[in-house]
Amino acid sequence: MNRGEEKFMNNKPHFKKVNGISTLIVNNKPFLSLSGELHNSSASSKEYMESNVWENVNKTNVNTVVAPVYWELVEKEEGIYDFSSLDYLINQARENNKKIILIWFGLWKNGLSTYIPKWMKKNQTDYPFVKNEKGESLYTVTPLSSKAIEKDSLAFTELMKYLNKEDAEDQTVIMVQVENEVGILGSDFDYGNENIKLLDNEVPEEVSKYLDKTGTWEERFNEEAKEYFMAYHYAKAINYIVKNGKAHYDIPFFVNVWLEKYPSRPGDYPTGGPTAKMGPFWKAIAPDIDAIAPDIYVPNFNEVCEQYLSFQDVLLVPETRQDLETISNLLYGLIKYNINCFSPFGIEDFFKEESEKDERTLATLAIDSDAFDYTNTGELLSDAYKILSQMSDYIIEYRGTDKIHPFIKEKESDRGELVELENCEVKVNFNKFRDNEVKSSGFIIETDENEFYVVGININVELLSPYGSDKKIGLLDFEEGEFIDNKWVRNRVLNGDERYHITINNEIKVFRIEYHSY
Ligand code: DGJ
């Protein structure tokens, strides 16, 4: 057992505070999940996974694959459960030395119910679809259908029992995402069954507790009453499903989010889903869910991280962009926002010759097409993942302390940052924005009084004496190298001509620097 491991012993995957940071623990030690999510349909075929997925996935150096398990395959016949599709997924992941974050494609996926079993699709008497204002059915089972929720919950509970039996020891599956980007698309409310009249009812007890006030939905939420009402029903439903599953296998459960992008109206984004505005309300109604995780395809990555950390202390990014933005978001966000799981979407794509964007699908999903341009991203992502995973003990050890300093160039006018260390100031100069290059970004870890590591891209570093000091700073060691299994292994010692510039161009590198003053 390694030093410090005993404090995490005998547990299933869970979150635990390390230096005050909620940190994912797997196999009894902190685990930084450097992931990639598969395309929706890949995991439905064992053969497809073998021939089209693993080889590409392995090139990206992910340590985790975010992959779905499909209700339509698990319960083809009502009440008969078949986990063979999960079985090969787990076995293949183990063979490829990967962890899995499982997505339960159950009642809802991107605001629709396309993954429910056939027998449920054909029975809209028991499992009614949402209706829009004109009374037309949308392809979404209403979250007010307790019968549908019960069926989802029974299948999900079987899934958790299965994981407990088959995986508790290995812990290949480290977290479960329950449903996918829930909410109603194409209507701001479920107008079926005269639900609109329910807005004149008193809010349920959990809601009045949350508000610390009683009153009807209309009185309490005014023009937002419909959205809060739908959010209440989605959050209640998913909490019920999670709670029942958790009773059989208690690992972290989260929901992901189709973000509300401005300017848009409820129904343009899935209304009732855990958007940033609805986050605190969702947390109150669904206390058994460990995290609300934003899918971040928008350009304002940092702002979204801040929004989601304003009402919870765990940040997971289960889906994100494929383009070069993803590299700087990763290097910065992992430290600045203590992200526990970072996962570009369509991870099996990254080493394909050319981007095969499906513009029509992206438009339907309201995703900016630039976000799906992985040209030039693959090599950099795999380098970044290699470096970060090989030094993950350092990242975990220093996150939450004042010894780790992330930096990023957010706009053209940002020239750089001054990072104050114990005995010197490091001036991190940012490169100009250039096409097909990653934004200047990275971080410094101060590991000793006069020693630090800098990890980054498109930067130049200068060492200055502390402000006001009459001493100068000299280099003792300037080494390029890499971490292997959390140990520094140096390559060249940079001196002579090389010592004039501590520069990293459009590649990700790590330097170790030791200095003194004279
Ligand atoms: C968000 C969804 O959650 C994913 O399943 C996928 O549809 C991506 N969008 C884009 O393809």
Side-chain angles (χ1 to χ4, degrees), residues 220-239:
R220 290 289 64 98
F221 295 104
N222 309 309
E223 69 278 8
E224 290 179 329
K226 289 179 191 158
E227 188 167 8
Y228 274 93
F229 179 90
M230 294 316 312
Y232 172 77
H233 285 283
Y234 277 109
K236 267 303 262 188
I238 296 181
N239 199 64

Side-chain angles (χ1 to χ4, degrees), residues 344-380:
F345 187 79
I347 196 67
E348 62 270 60
D349 286 348
F350 282 78
F351 282 88
K352 285 188 184 153
E353 295 279 297
E354 265 178 50
S355 279
E356 290 166 14
K357 285 190 272 186
D358 177 353
E359 300 284 352
R360 276 214 290 184
T361 305
L362 293 174
T364 312
L365 296 169
I367 294 177
D368 172 8
S369 122
D370 289 353
F372 269 63
D373 187 349
Y374 52 80
T375 326
N376 305 317
T377 314
E379 295 288 347
L380 287 166

Side-chain angles (χ1 to χ4, degrees), residues 40 109-110 180-181 256 295 297 319 345 365 367 372:
N40 295 160
K109 152 83 174 81
N110 295 27
N180 189 85
E181 296 190 346
N256 69 333
D295 293 343
Y297 294 103
E319 288 184 39
F345 187 79
L365 296 169
I367 294 177
F372 269 63

Side-chain angles (χ1 to χ4, degrees), residues 497-514:
D497 292 347
E498 283 69 50
R499 73 182 268 285
Y500 293 113
H501 298 288
I502 305 179
T503 297
I504 307 176
N505 292 318
N506 196 47
E507 62 183 326
I508 302 160
K509 277 193 151 194
V510 194
F511 290 134
R512 187 185 82 84
I513 291 167
E514 204 181 325

Side-chain angles (χ1 to χ4, degrees), residues 332 335 401-408 416-430 441-447 449 451-455 459-467 473 515:
Y332 182 70
I335 310 302
T401 73
D402 60 358
K403 300 288 176 201
I404 191 160
H405 310 270
F407 47 80
I408 191 166
E417 267 177 44
L418 270 180
V419 177
E420 223 175 289
L421 303 186
E422 188 92 14
N423 293 314
C424 81
E425 279 185 30
V426 181
K427 189 170 174 212
V428 182
N429 299 303
F430 297 157
S441 48
F443 55 92
I444 285 175
I445 305 185
E446 191 175 18
T447 40
E449 235 184 64
E451 181 197 64
F452 66 93
Y453 292 87
V454 56
V455 180
I459 52 166
N460 161 270
V461 166
E462 290 171 62
L463 270 60
L464 312 177
S465 52
Y467 188 64
I473 299 291
Y515 61 94

